[in-house]
Amino acid sequence: MCKKMDIDAVQNGFNTGIICAQQVLNHFSERFGLSEKDALRVAACFGSGMGQASTCGCVTGALMAMGLAHGVAGPCSLEQKQSLNARRDAFMAAFAAANGSIECRGVLGHDLTDPQQLAVIKEKKLFTTVCVPLICDTCTLLEEYL
């Protein structure tokens, strides 16, 4: 779990348009020699379940970081591929177990692509009460798989 100061930083990022996938990837970017600017650019299209309420941006940002940590930059053996896929699958299963789903619509309990449901999300302030802590929790969880 993030400290209060970290929660505030995540919320401030959200307030300025830095989405979940960007914040998760950027949290780990320095570790892998990726600049903040490049991390934010790479993850820019992945928030809100890639805009489709599909795979949560926290998950996609985490998988990008996992790729930086364990991915192979070229041909690889079957064993290397299986190892990475097992790590990916274990992370995704743990995320789903903790959050009920790996999809935005499942995590939020509403489909943000539906204007009426998006209005409910905003009314209930779910981006603040669910997504902001989820970014912190995802970064904590991901540490176990890096």
Side-chain angles (χ1 to χ4, degrees):
M1 188 66 109
C2 289
K3 298 174 186 168
K4 174 118 176 79
M5 184 174 173
D6 295 329
I7 291 274
D8 291 342
V10 170
Q11 182 63 58
N12 287 337
F14 252 59
N15 293 345
T16 62
I18 302 173
I19 59 174
C20 47
Q22 290 174 306
Q23 292 200 48
V24 171
L25 180 59
N26 189 50
H27 180 78
F28 295 97
S29 62
E30 187 176 319
R31 182 182 302 187
F32 304 114
L34 186 65
S35 72
E36 177 179 356
K37 180 179 173 183
D38 287 342
L40 295 177
R41 291 172 81 186
V42 166
C45 293
F46 290 87
S48 299
M50 296 171 279
Q52 304 297 311
S54 186
T55 305
C56 172
C58 290
V59 173
T60 56
L63 294 180
M64 289 179 225
M66 191 177 294
L68 287 168
H70 300 285
V72 178
C76 65
S77 69
L78 179 60
E79 292 79 19
Q80 289 171 309
K81 180 64 84 177
Q82 288 173 334
S83 176
L84 178 60
N85 289 345
R87 186 182 302 270
R88 175 202 62 208
D89 294 347
F91 167 79
M92 289 173 47
F95 184 95
N99 300 293
S101 180
I102 64 164
E103 293 192 340
C104 282
R105 65 177 54 88
V107 171
L108 291 172
H110 300 279
D111 186 342
L112 56 83
T113 65
D114 177 309
Q116 291 177 330
Q117 290 188 45
L118 179 58
V120 172
I121 290 168
K122 289 179 179 180
E123 178 185 314
K124 292 182 175 183
K125 300 181 180 181
L126 297 181
F127 291 126
T128 298
T129 61
V130 175
C131 298
V132 168
L134 185 58
I135 290 167
C136 296
D137 293 345
T138 300
C139 291
T140 300
L141 176 64
L142 183 57
E143 286 288 356
E144 298 175 34
Y145 298 90
L146 291 181

